[in-house]
Short mmCIF file of all heavy atoms in Angstrom, two decimals:
data_model
loop_
_atom_site.label_atom_id
_atom_site.label_comp_id
_atom_site.label_asym_id
_atom_site.label_seq_id
_atom_site.Cartn_x
_atom_site.Cartn_y
_atom_site.Cartn_z
N GLY A 683 -118.23 54.18 -253.20
CA GLY A 683 -117.89 52.77 -253.01
C GLY A 683 -117.34 52.09 -254.24
O GLY A 683 -116.86 50.96 -254.17
N GLU A 684 -117.40 52.74 -255.39
CA GLU A 684 -116.87 52.19 -256.63
C GLU A 684 -115.42 52.63 -256.79
O GLU A 684 -115.10 53.80 -256.59
CB GLU A 684 -117.66 52.73 -257.84
CG GLU A 684 -119.04 52.11 -258.01
CD GLU A 684 -118.98 50.84 -258.85
OE1 GLU A 684 -118.47 50.90 -259.98
OE2 GLU A 684 -119.41 49.79 -258.33
N VAL A 685 -114.55 51.70 -257.15
CA VAL A 685 -113.14 52.06 -257.34
C VAL A 685 -112.89 52.27 -258.83
O VAL A 685 -113.22 51.44 -259.66
CB VAL A 685 -112.22 50.94 -256.80
CG1 VAL A 685 -110.77 51.25 -257.12
CG2 VAL A 685 -112.40 50.79 -255.31
N GLN A 686 -112.31 53.45 -259.15
CA GLN A 686 -111.99 53.76 -260.55
C GLN A 686 -110.51 54.09 -260.67
O GLN A 686 -109.99 54.86 -259.88
CB GLN A 686 -112.80 54.98 -261.01
CG GLN A 686 -114.24 54.66 -261.36
CD GLN A 686 -114.96 55.93 -261.80
OE1 GLN A 686 -114.75 57.01 -261.25
NE2 GLN A 686 -115.83 55.80 -262.77
N CYS A 687 -109.85 53.50 -261.68
CA CYS A 687 -108.45 53.83 -261.92
C CYS A 687 -108.37 55.20 -262.55
O CYS A 687 -109.28 55.62 -263.27
CB CYS A 687 -107.82 52.79 -262.84
SG CYS A 687 -107.64 51.16 -262.06
N LEU A 688 -107.27 55.92 -262.26
CA LEU A 688 -107.08 57.28 -262.78
C LEU A 688 -105.90 57.33 -263.74
O LEU A 688 -104.97 56.55 -263.62
CB LEU A 688 -106.79 58.25 -261.63
CG LEU A 688 -107.88 58.49 -260.60
CD1 LEU A 688 -107.33 59.36 -259.47
CD2 LEU A 688 -109.08 59.18 -261.24
N CYS A 689 -105.95 58.31 -264.65
CA CYS A 689 -104.80 58.61 -265.51
C CYS A 689 -104.31 60.00 -265.13
O CYS A 689 -105.12 60.90 -264.92
CB CYS A 689 -105.19 58.56 -266.98
SG CYS A 689 -105.53 56.87 -267.54
N PRO A 690 -102.97 60.20 -265.01
CA PRO A 690 -102.46 61.47 -264.50
C PRO A 690 -102.53 62.65 -265.46
O PRO A 690 -102.14 63.75 -265.13
CB PRO A 690 -101.00 61.14 -264.17
CG PRO A 690 -100.65 60.02 -265.08
CD PRO A 690 -101.89 59.24 -265.28
N SER A 691 -103.04 62.44 -266.67
CA SER A 691 -103.10 63.53 -267.64
C SER A 691 -104.34 63.38 -268.51
O SER A 691 -104.79 62.26 -268.78
CB SER A 691 -101.84 63.49 -268.51
OG SER A 691 -102.05 64.15 -269.73
N GLY A 692 -104.86 64.52 -268.96
CA GLY A 692 -106.03 64.51 -269.86
C GLY A 692 -105.69 63.91 -271.21
O GLY A 692 -106.59 63.54 -271.98
N GLY A 693 -104.40 63.81 -271.50
CA GLY A 693 -103.97 63.22 -272.78
C GLY A 693 -103.77 61.72 -272.70
O GLY A 693 -103.25 61.09 -273.62
N LEU A 694 -104.20 61.13 -271.57
CA LEU A 694 -104.14 59.67 -271.42
C LEU A 694 -105.55 59.17 -271.14
O LEU A 694 -106.37 59.87 -270.56
CB LEU A 694 -103.24 59.29 -270.23
CG LEU A 694 -101.76 59.68 -270.29
CD1 LEU A 694 -101.09 59.39 -268.96
CD2 LEU A 694 -101.05 58.96 -271.41
N GLN A 695 -105.83 57.95 -271.56
CA GLN A 695 -107.14 57.37 -271.27
C GLN A 695 -106.96 55.94 -270.76
O GLN A 695 -105.95 55.30 -271.06
CB GLN A 695 -108.03 57.38 -272.51
CG GLN A 695 -107.51 56.53 -273.65
CD GLN A 695 -108.35 56.65 -274.90
OE1 GLN A 695 -109.20 57.51 -275.02
NE2 GLN A 695 -108.10 55.78 -275.86
N LEU A 696 -107.93 55.47 -270.00
CA LEU A 696 -107.85 54.10 -269.48
C LEU A 696 -107.92 53.11 -270.62
O LEU A 696 -108.74 53.26 -271.53
CB LEU A 696 -109.00 53.84 -268.50
CG LEU A 696 -108.78 54.30 -267.06
CD1 LEU A 696 -110.02 54.03 -266.23
CD2 LEU A 696 -107.58 53.63 -266.41
N GLY A 697 -107.03 52.13 -270.56
CA GLY A 697 -107.01 51.09 -271.59
C GLY A 697 -108.17 50.13 -271.40
O GLY A 697 -108.95 50.23 -270.44
N PRO A 698 -108.31 49.17 -272.30
CA PRO A 698 -109.43 48.22 -272.25
C PRO A 698 -109.53 47.44 -270.93
O PRO A 698 -110.61 47.07 -270.51
CB PRO A 698 -109.16 47.26 -273.41
CG PRO A 698 -108.20 47.98 -274.30
CD PRO A 698 -107.43 48.92 -273.44
N ASN A 699 -108.36 47.25 -270.25
CA ASN A 699 -108.39 46.50 -268.98
C ASN A 699 -108.86 47.36 -267.80
O ASN A 699 -109.04 46.86 -266.70
CB ASN A 699 -107.01 45.88 -268.69
CG ASN A 699 -105.91 46.94 -268.51
OD1 ASN A 699 -106.19 48.14 -268.43
ND2 ASN A 699 -104.68 46.49 -268.43
N GLY A 700 -109.02 48.68 -268.03
CA GLY A 700 -109.52 49.56 -266.96
C GLY A 700 -108.49 49.86 -265.88
O GLY A 700 -108.81 50.46 -264.86
N ARG A 701 -107.22 49.44 -266.09
CA ARG A 701 -106.18 49.63 -265.07
C ARG A 701 -104.99 50.42 -265.57
O ARG A 701 -104.39 51.19 -264.84
CB ARG A 701 -105.69 48.27 -264.55
CG ARG A 701 -106.73 47.48 -263.78
CD ARG A 701 -106.11 46.38 -262.95
NE ARG A 701 -105.14 45.58 -263.67
CZ ARG A 701 -105.42 44.47 -264.35
NH1 ARG A 701 -106.66 44.04 -264.43
NH2 ARG A 701 -104.48 43.79 -264.96
N THR A 702 -104.61 50.21 -266.84
CA THR A 702 -103.45 50.91 -267.39
C THR A 702 -103.91 52.08 -268.26
O THR A 702 -105.04 52.09 -268.75
CB THR A 702 -102.56 49.96 -268.22
OG1 THR A 702 -103.38 49.34 -269.21
CG2 THR A 702 -101.91 48.91 -267.36
N CYS A 703 -103.02 53.06 -268.43
CA CYS A 703 -103.35 54.24 -269.22
C CYS A 703 -102.66 54.19 -270.57
O CYS A 703 -101.49 53.82 -270.66
CB CYS A 703 -102.90 55.50 -268.48
SG CYS A 703 -103.80 55.74 -266.94
N ILE A 704 -103.41 54.54 -271.61
CA ILE A 704 -102.83 54.58 -272.95
C ILE A 704 -102.91 56.01 -273.47
O ILE A 704 -103.78 56.78 -273.07
CB ILE A 704 -103.51 53.58 -273.93
CG1 ILE A 704 -105.04 53.77 -273.96
CG2 ILE A 704 -103.13 52.16 -273.60
CD1 ILE A 704 -105.75 52.94 -275.01
N ASP A 705 -101.98 56.35 -274.35
CA ASP A 705 -101.88 57.71 -274.89
C ASP A 705 -103.02 58.00 -275.86
O ASP A 705 -103.43 57.15 -276.63
CB ASP A 705 -100.54 57.87 -275.60
CG ASP A 705 -100.37 59.25 -276.23
OD1 ASP A 705 -100.51 60.24 -275.49
OD2 ASP A 705 -100.10 59.33 -277.44
N ILE A 706 -103.53 59.23 -275.79
CA ILE A 706 -104.50 59.71 -276.78
C ILE A 706 -103.68 60.54 -277.76
O ILE A 706 -102.97 61.46 -277.37
CB ILE A 706 -105.58 60.62 -276.13
CG1 ILE A 706 -106.41 59.84 -275.11
CG2 ILE A 706 -106.47 61.24 -277.19
CD1 ILE A 706 -107.31 60.72 -274.25
N ASP A 707 -103.76 60.20 -279.05
CA ASP A 707 -103.04 60.99 -280.06
C ASP A 707 -103.92 62.17 -280.44
O ASP A 707 -104.78 62.08 -281.31
CB ASP A 707 -102.74 60.11 -281.29
CG ASP A 707 -101.87 60.84 -282.31
OD1 ASP A 707 -101.77 62.08 -282.22
OD2 ASP A 707 -101.31 60.17 -283.20
N GLU A 708 -103.68 63.32 -279.75
CA GLU A 708 -104.51 64.51 -279.98
C GLU A 708 -104.38 65.02 -281.41
O GLU A 708 -105.29 65.65 -281.93
CB GLU A 708 -104.10 65.65 -279.03
CG GLU A 708 -104.40 65.41 -277.57
CD GLU A 708 -103.26 64.72 -276.83
OE1 GLU A 708 -102.30 64.23 -277.49
OE2 GLU A 708 -103.32 64.66 -275.60
#
């Protein structure tokens, strides 16, 4: 019942707003 936003790659993470994805600098 909880809605979670997804990022299409393991190299991206959810931004502070929980909706957009930001890059992880590996």
